[in-house]
Amino acid sequence: MTRPLNITLIAALVLLAACRSEPIAFHTLTPAHWNNATQAQASDIRIESISVPPQVDRAQIVIRQGDSGVAILDTQWWAASLADELKTALVDQLANRHARQAVSLRVEVQRFDSVPGQYALLDVRWRLRPTSGGDRPPLTCRSTLQTPAGPSIDDLVVAHQHNLKRFAALIGQAADTSLKACPTAR
């Protein structure tokens, strides 16, 4: 009698262990440094909108696999939507940046690729326009930034953080030149 009971208990424990899921890890594009500027006083560069491709517009991190595949990582998530993560990170990177004139920024992400062990890529079309309404036309640019990444998701996120830091520097450079020319990515 105890033998069938033991087998039943062991089988139930094995089934329960098989149902256990991995915990979800959350990631952010905002680097872990302290910036005491608030969003209201942070910059003369106001973010108007940010759009991202629908393929990566989800809570889970999406990585590329091979030449044509993608994988949606069920246990690796952004702390907020990808568009909100990008906005928060850009606000942080543009903090205390003072342009020659107040400008509005519109960002359209064309590609946001994550390839473990290879690179993180940000391909973005962006527009700066004076908020004062003057006769100066908006400046529309396109930048492609790629940073090598290690094999882990943390490595990919850090590479994307580096891309956003470089992107914010390009935005600041364009704003500092009174919207005369698109800067080149280095």
Side-chain angles (χ1 to χ4, degrees):
M1 184 71 157
T2 61
R3 186 172 181 94
L5 182 60
N6 286 342
I7 292 173
T8 303
L9 284 173
I10 290 172
L13 288 174
V14 168
L15 286 173
L16 284 174
C19 293
R20 192 182 118 230
S21 62
E22 290 289 320
I24 294 175
F26 293 94
H27 302 273
T28 183
L29 291 171
T30 304
H33 68 272
W34 176 253
N35 189 340
N36 59 0
T38 63
Q39 186 170 348
Q41 73 186 54
S43 177
D44 293 330
I45 303 169
R46 184 180 63 83
I47 299 175
E48 185 178 316
S49 67
I50 295 181
S51 64
V52 296
Q55 297 88 339
V56 294
D57 188 17
R58 54 181 53 246
Q60 300 94 338
I61 293 177
V62 177
I63 60 171
R64 290 189 67 91
Q65 291 184 325
D67 290 336
S68 63
V70 296
I72 299 167
L73 304 180
D74 290 331
T75 60
Q76 304 291 329
W77 289 32
W78 295 114
S81 71
L82 183 55
D84 287 341
E85 279 293 317
L86 288 166
K87 182 175 183 176
T88 302
L90 281 174
V91 166
D92 181 72
Q93 291 295 327
L94 294 170
N96 297 322
R97 180 141 334 237
H98 299 288
R100 291 186 181 193
Q101 61 183 326
V103 293
S104 178
L105 171 67
R106 179 178 289 173
V107 177
E108 294 176 25
V109 177
Q110 305 297 302
R111 285 180 57 193
F112 189 87
D113 286 351
S114 302
V115 186
Q118 293 184 30
Y119 63 86
L121 181 129
L122 175 66
D123 181 5
V124 62
R125 192 169 62 198
W126 50 286
R127 184 194 78 186
L128 282 176
R129 67 176 175 82
T131 56
S132 61
D135 59 351
R136 182 171 296 279
L139 175 67
T140 302
C141 303
R142 185 158 185 175
S143 302
T144 303
L145 305 158
Q146 183 173 323
T147 300
S152 74
I153 297 305
D154 287 337
D155 295 335
L156 277 170
V157 172
V158 168
H160 279 301
Q161 289 174 352
H162 183 70
N163 285 343
L164 286 169
K165 183 177 182 178
R166 291 171 49 209
F167 179 48
L170 293 173
I171 294 166
Q173 186 179 348
D176 288 345
T177 62
S178 297
L179 312 181
K180 291 181 181 171
C182 293
T184 56
R186 288 176 238 142

